[in-house]
Amino acid sequence: MTDRCNYRCTYCMPPGGVDWLPPSEILTYEEMLRLIAVFAGEGITSVRLTGGEPLVRKGIVAFVAKVKALGCIRDLSLTTNGSLLPAIATELKAAGLDRVNISLDTIDPDRFTRITTCGSLEETLRGVESAFRAGLSPVKLNVVLTEFLAESDLAYFLDMAVRFPVAIRFIEYMPIGGSGLVRGMNPAAVKEKLAAMAGSGLEPAESKGSGPARYYRLPGASGVWGFITPLSEHFCGSCNRMRLTADGRLKPCLLSDREIDIKTPLRAGADDARLAELFRAAVRAKPERHSLCRASGHPGFQRCMPQIGG
Ligand code: SAM
Ligand code: SF4
């Protein structure tokens, strides 16, 4: 949707920030709608809007309504830091947004501000509450596993999913483009700790949709806990994601620099058949495994996370 963001999370933004794309480089809503319709013709039924922060882009409610009006997208979701959600959660739901993923890495106000640099825990918590109220269901929380996650946070996330129908997903930190000053936590160790805190009974749960998270539940709990482990237990073999960047590149793999430019042909007047062909080429270009799987290390990526969308 955009590479712009109102937060500067230390694990996501490079230290010097991002040189924002000039508006002329960013796909217009009309261009995105055309591409979504073409991709739907190739079997896409699920779309997730992300960024940067997708809610900083003006006109998003009307865009959501237009995507839904295409009639071919069954599951329309949005990944957000939650800060701007309270003002438009109800409108987004009415426009046809099905659900949201909200990033919430800690529930300690000071640590939250240290992670996000300019964010406030209170506004993100209000965002979570507004998502529940608006009926954007299921609400999923994304928790990146960094040194900022304390045992008190785990206790909060444990209790929250016992009481509310929420999916809390712990995401392994990926070393791409962030400040480089952040240390990730081992997901297996966090899972062990969570299981110990839960007492006996944390058991595998059915996965939610087609996503990469492995879920766990406790008998009687309203929600579930999930782990997304792109590095320590990669899921490349079952990955069905295709990313479209704000500047119109198809990315067959999050952790690869390989891109297919679809914006240039689109703006040069390519017909739907040509655009569909490019989409199929991007699907064929999905690697067997991402490049961080290689033991030889990695020289770094061209894009940082806000330019991809996570
Ligand atoms: N601004 C929105 C947000 O924060 O939810 C959407 C964009 S953000 C790039 C999408 C997701 O990527 C967020 O859940 C964020 O926590 C996650 N993310 C960003 N940098 C990451 C990293 N280095 N490793 C793992 N997840 C990361
Ligand atoms: Fe912005 Fe989301 Fe990245 Fe944080 S994680 S800097 S909110 S894009």
Side-chain angles (χ1 to χ4, degrees):
M1 295 282 303
T2 178
D3 58 341
R4 298 184 187 221
C5 188
N6 55 341
Y7 283 9
R8 294 182 160 274
C9 300
T10 48
Y11 55 71
C12 178
M13 286 269 178
V18 174
D19 289 332
W20 305 131
L21 287 163
S24 61
E25 290 298 319
I26 292 186
L27 291 175
T28 63
Y29 282 136
E30 289 68 31
E31 288 170 333
M32 282 193 275
L33 274 173
R34 166 128 185 256
L35 290 176
I36 290 170
V38 169
F39 301 160
E42 296 302 302
I44 293 293
T45 56
S46 191
V47 168
R48 180 171 63 91
L49 308 174
T50 178
E53 174 49 45
L55 299 186
V56 302
R57 185 156 174 182
K58 288 201 180 76
I60 187 158
V61 174
F63 176 62
V64 162
K66 284 181 184 161
V67 174
K68 214 53 187 186
L70 290 173
C72 46
I73 299 305
R74 248 192 350 241
D75 176 34
L76 181 57
S77 64
L78 180 131
T79 301
T80 172
N81 62 34
S83 60
L84 303 173
L85 197 53
I88 54 168
T90 310
E91 282 177 70
L92 285 167
K93 174 71 186 172
L97 187 72
D98 294 300
R99 58 189 181 84
V100 282
N101 303 335
I102 302 177
S103 297
L104 176 62
D105 302 309
T106 174
I107 49 92
D108 176 85
D110 294 336
R111 284 200 301 277
F112 188 91
T113 302
R114 274 166 59 208
I115 292 174
T116 58
T117 313
C118 44
S120 116
L121 175 67
E122 211 183 313
E123 62 187 18
T124 290
L125 289 179
R126 274 205 296 272
V128 174
E129 198 184 316
S130 70
F132 276 114
R133 276 182 209 261
L136 290 162
S137 171
V139 172
K140 297 184 184 180
L141 298 187
N142 287 351
V143 183
V144 179
L145 293 175
T146 69
E147 59 193 296
F148 293 103
L149 185 82
E151 206 161 311
S152 51
D153 296 315
L154 272 185
Y156 177 93
F157 291 129
L158 183 62
D159 176 64
M160 187 180 193
V162 166
R163 294 194 295 130
F164 300 101
V166 61
I168 294 177
R169 293 117 51 88
F170 298 101
I171 303 177
E172 186 168 22
Y173 166 67
M174 290 172 270
I176 64 170
S179 71
L181 302 171
V182 181
R183 264 183 298 126
M185 285 177 103
N186 180 329
V190 175
K191 197 178 108 200
E192 224 168 82
K193 182 152 263 176
L194 191 76
M197 290 166 88
S200 58
L202 201 63
E203 56 190 40
E206 256 178 54
S207 76
K208 300 216 163 252
S210 57
R214 292 195 182 88
Y215 283 103
Y216 297 86
R217 65 184 191 94
L218 267 179
S222 305
V224 291
W225 302 268
F227 286 82
I228 300 180
T229 54
L231 307 183
S232 53
E233 273 185 274
H234 75 81
F235 37 82
C236 302
S238 59
C239 173
N240 60 1
R241 305 288 143 131
M242 182 59 66
R243 292 176 171 83
L244 175 65
T245 64
D247 59 345
R249 266 59 173 179
L250 285 166
K251 275 187 82 69
C253 172
L254 169 68
L255 296 171
S256 159
D257 282 334
R258 177 89 196 265
E259 297 181 350
I260 291 173
D261 177 8
I262 199 164
K263 183 181 69 185
T264 305
L266 173 72
R267 290 190 175 173
D271 62 11
D272 286 359
R274 173 67 187 137
L275 298 175
E277 205 176 280
L278 287 169
F279 178 80
R280 289 195 294 273
V283 172
R284 283 195 299 274
K286 280 182 84 59
E288 208 176 309
R289 284 168 163 226
H290 65 65
S291 50
L292 288 180
C293 292
R294 291 190 208 115
S296 54
H298 194 274
F301 295 100
Q302 278 168 23
R303 286 180 189 264
C304 58
M305 207 59 118
Q307 297 167 323
I308 306 173

